[in-house]
């Protein structure tokens, strides 16, 4: 059993016994981890209140064999997700980030860049950054990181450039925009406004630094519908928090 040190974001906390809980963590160096936190529910337990949904923590854990839960031995709080106490819309956006990380990544498959993006996103949500923009930027970084960023400039089938004018055919199953030749007979195609395609292109091209490009309120509903549909196709079911997020980002 090796003791590993890393940073982690808490995705889920489930009570396990009167004094312990099972935590799902997205770690910087080891990807998603499920660990038993013994004594975490005791008032003066070993983790000193660090076990809190969406908190950023520094941990030491013991890795077990492939099927068994890992064992959390130390957890030190670096930053609590404070939106939970402040504003429901930001709390929902935080839940959505947790669900995306849970659904898009596998246990033990590290994605340090995605961890850093999630950390930045939760911090941005906590410090009043614009909701819709912050979320779409995180979505595009996450999709890029797991290799499912939709093709937005060129036809996903044949690679011809597709101009973003009027409404653009978008293949949910194919994974991106389609040219006129490739569209006929294809399943799972929706018509997306060029404004939303442009928004996604912007979020994708400027996703590492600076402020997220602003999204006009009139485009937000369609943008959410497109992203919800895309994630549902990718994951195989609708995300539980997508409806909560839709309400939140329209504000
Ligand atoms: Zn084509």
């Amino acid at each position: 059993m090796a003791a590993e040190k890393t940073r982690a974001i808490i995705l889920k906390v489930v009570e396990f016994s009167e004094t312990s809980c099972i935590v799902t963590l997205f770690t910087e160096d080891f990807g998603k981890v499920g660990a038993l936190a013994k004594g975490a529910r005791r008032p003066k337990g070993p983790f000193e209140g660090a076990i809190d949904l969406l908190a950023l923590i520094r941990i030491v854990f013991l890795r077990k064999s492939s099927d068994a839960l890992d064992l959390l031995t130390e957890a030190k709080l670096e930053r609590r997700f404070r939106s939970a106490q402040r504003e429901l819309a930001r709390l929902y956006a935080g839940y959505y980030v947790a669900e995306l990380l849970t659904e898009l990544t596998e246990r033990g498959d590290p994605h340090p860049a995605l961890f850093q993006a999630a950390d930045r996103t939760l911090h941005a949500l906590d410090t009043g950054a614009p909701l819709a923009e912050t979320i779409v930027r995180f979505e595009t970084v996450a999709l890029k990181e797991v290799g499912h960023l939709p093709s937005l400039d060129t036809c996903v089938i044949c690679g011809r450039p597709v101009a973003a004018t009027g409404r653009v055919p978008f293949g949910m199953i194919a994974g991106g925009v389609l040219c006129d030749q490739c569209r006929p007979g294809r399943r799972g195609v929706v018509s997306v406004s060029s404004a939303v395609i442009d928004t996604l292109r912007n979020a994708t091209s400027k996703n590492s630094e600076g402020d997220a490009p602003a999204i006009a309120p009139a485009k937000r509903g369609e943008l959410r519908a497109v992203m919800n549909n895309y994630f549902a196709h990718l994951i195989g079911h609708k995300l539980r928090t997508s409806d909560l997020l839709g309400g939140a980002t329209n504000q």
Side-chain angles (χ1 to χ4, degrees):
M1 257 185 335
E4 307 282 11
K5 272 185 193 183
T6 185
R7 295 194 302 161
I9 293 165
I10 302 182
L11 301 181
K12 192 175 176 186
V13 182
V14 178
E15 293 178 6
F16 177 70
S17 70
E18 218 155 284
T19 56
S20 302
C21 52
I22 292 170
V23 288
T24 305
L25 306 168
F26 187 59
T27 69
E28 185 162 27
D29 301 305
F30 307 94
K32 202 164 57 181
V33 164
L36 180 62
K38 283 184 184 168
R41 303 188 61 217
R42 283 206 308 266
K44 298 226 170 206
F47 306 117
E48 297 172 50
I51 307 300
D52 192 19
L53 193 64
L54 294 167
L56 174 68
I57 57 178
R58 200 168 273 283
I59 62 166
V60 178
F61 71 104
L62 296 174
R63 299 178 86 177
K64 297 291 186 76
S65 61
S66 56
D67 287 345
L69 281 171
D70 295 331
L71 186 65
L72 194 66
T73 56
E74 286 176 38
K76 197 166 180 298
L77 184 68
E78 290 227 326
R79 193 183 65 235
R80 213 177 281 287
F81 183 60
R82 291 177 301 159
S83 297
Q85 282 99 47
R86 286 188 192 153
E87 195 187 327
L88 208 50
R90 288 173 186 274
L91 174 63
Y92 289 159
Y95 287 167
Y96 181 74
V97 168
E99 189 176 11
L100 275 188
L101 292 171
T102 304
E103 294 288 351
L104 290 176
T105 65
E106 302 292 335
R107 271 174 204 263
D109 179 22
H111 285 282
L114 181 54
F115 175 88
Q116 284 143 23
D119 178 30
R120 275 198 305 274
T121 300
L122 293 173
H123 183 62
L125 289 173
D126 252 357
T127 49
L131 265 180
E133 289 80 357
T134 301
I135 288 299
V136 76
R137 172 179 280 186
F138 177 69
E139 289 173 319
T140 54
V141 173
L143 286 169
K144 198 171 183 179
E145 186 63 28
V146 298
H148 287 287
L149 187 67
S151 180
L152 298 166
D153 296 304
T154 57
C155 173
V156 64
I157 303 297
C158 73
R160 281 194 197 93
V162 175
T165 50
R167 298 193 73 82
V168 182
F170 185 100
M172 288 290 165
I173 301 166
V177 296
L178 296 162
C179 73
D180 292 340
Q181 279 89 342
C182 296
R183 177 186 190 164
R186 209 159 280 282
R187 286 169 53 238
V189 179
V190 299
S191 167
V192 177
S193 73
S194 53
V196 164
I197 298 292
D198 268 343
T199 299
L200 287 172
R201 284 179 179 171
N202 283 336
T204 307
S205 61
K206 297 171 191 166
N207 59 20
S208 51
E209 36 194 290
D211 291 338
I215 302 169
K219 293 185 208 166
R220 289 177 191 167
E222 186 190 0
L223 175 66
R224 290 292 4 123
V226 170
M227 295 312 280
N228 291 347
N229 196 347
Y230 186 69
F231 280 114
H233 275 90
L234 186 61
I235 292 162
H237 61 86
K238 191 177 159 183
L239 290 165
R240 286 181 299 111
T241 54
S242 59
D243 290 340
L244 295 177
L245 182 74
T249 54
N250 271 330
Q251 290 174 0

